[in-house]
Amino acid sequence: MIRPYSKENRKELENFLVRQHTFARLNGQSVEEFCDENVADFEEDGTVSLIIREDERIVAIADLLKRHPVDGSLWLGLFVVEETLHGTGLAQTLYEQVEEEYMRPYQTVFRLGVLPNNLRARRFWERNGYVYEKDSTTNKGVRVHVLKKQLIRPE
């Protein structure tokens, strides 16, 4: 079940984030730093932050910027699936739901940044139709590969 984040979910979100050791390490952060940064991002205005549950527990989160101020596209700023569930196909199913319900109704161009050393994530996004666009640096000074997906709408 996908629902927008609310501040009542904060403690549960924190508990989810501190269990994501692999993602934190890829970001060069401790789990505490990773948690603090992403809770702050979820509570910022201007994005659509999503909590994804299965059996009443958070199994994934996503954070979307519906219209980037520079390029006008929708950016998937964060998509994290519980690391104990990697390789189960759950990420694929959840991404398809997020794209269908929260992305496609708003835009035809999607972008995201992938850390250069996160080859598994890059392969995942490429299987979902994303292609390399350019190298860039985030507003936090982190180097990423920008991937882009262009939908073709029937006329």
Side-chain angles (χ1 to χ4, degrees), residues 4-53:
Y5 171 79
S6 70
K7 290 188 180 191
E8 292 79 45
N9 304 123
R10 183 183 179 125
K11 188 48 118 179
E12 194 177 5
L13 175 63
E14 289 171 344
N15 291 335
F16 171 82
L17 289 168
V18 298
R19 292 191 314 270
Q20 310 315 310
H21 297 274
T22 302
F23 207 95
R25 188 172 46 253
L26 284 168
N27 279 295
Q29 297 174 305
S30 70
V31 289
E32 293 81 11
E33 291 168 325
F34 176 71
C35 176
D36 291 346
E37 177 181 303
N38 288 293
V39 168
D41 286 350
F42 262 49
E43 294 187 346
E44 225 174 76
D45 290 335
T47 62
V48 176
S49 301
L50 304 170
I51 299 285
I52 306 166
R53 297 178 189 278

Side-chain angles (χ1 to χ4, degrees), residues 37-142:
E37 177 181 303
N38 288 293
V39 168
D41 286 350
F42 262 49
E43 294 187 346
E44 225 174 76
D45 290 335
T47 62
V48 176
S49 301
L50 304 170
I51 299 285
I52 306 166
R53 297 178 189 278
E54 189 173 89
D55 298 327
E56 297 303 311
R57 70 181 183 103
I58 295 176
V59 294
I61 59 172
D63 199 36
L64 307 168
L65 178 61
K66 285 187 180 177
R67 183 171 290 283
H68 190 277
V70 175
D71 62 39
S73 66
L74 184 149
W75 278 73
L76 180 56
L78 186 68
F79 182 73
V80 179
V81 174
E82 171 71 47
E83 64 184 52
T84 61
L85 299 171
H86 290 183
T88 65
L90 182 64
Q92 182 65 45
T93 300
L94 296 178
Y95 173 72
E96 289 170 2
Q97 288 177 316
V98 168
E99 183 179 299
E100 187 65 33
E101 295 174 31
Y102 291 91
M103 296 169 70
R104 285 178 178 256
Y106 304 100
Q107 291 282 345
T108 59
V109 178
F110 312 143
R111 286 185 172 87
L112 54 85
V114 176
L115 296 168
N117 61 342
N118 195 345
L119 300 178
R120 186 175 187 176
R122 177 138 179 197
R123 285 191 304 270
F124 174 82
W125 294 118
E126 288 172 345
R127 281 193 312 271
N128 280 284
Y130 287 82
V131 295
Y132 173 82
E133 182 178 37
K134 63 182 178 180
D135 279 4
S136 188
T137 304
T138 69
N139 61 348
K140 296 173 181 158
V142 177

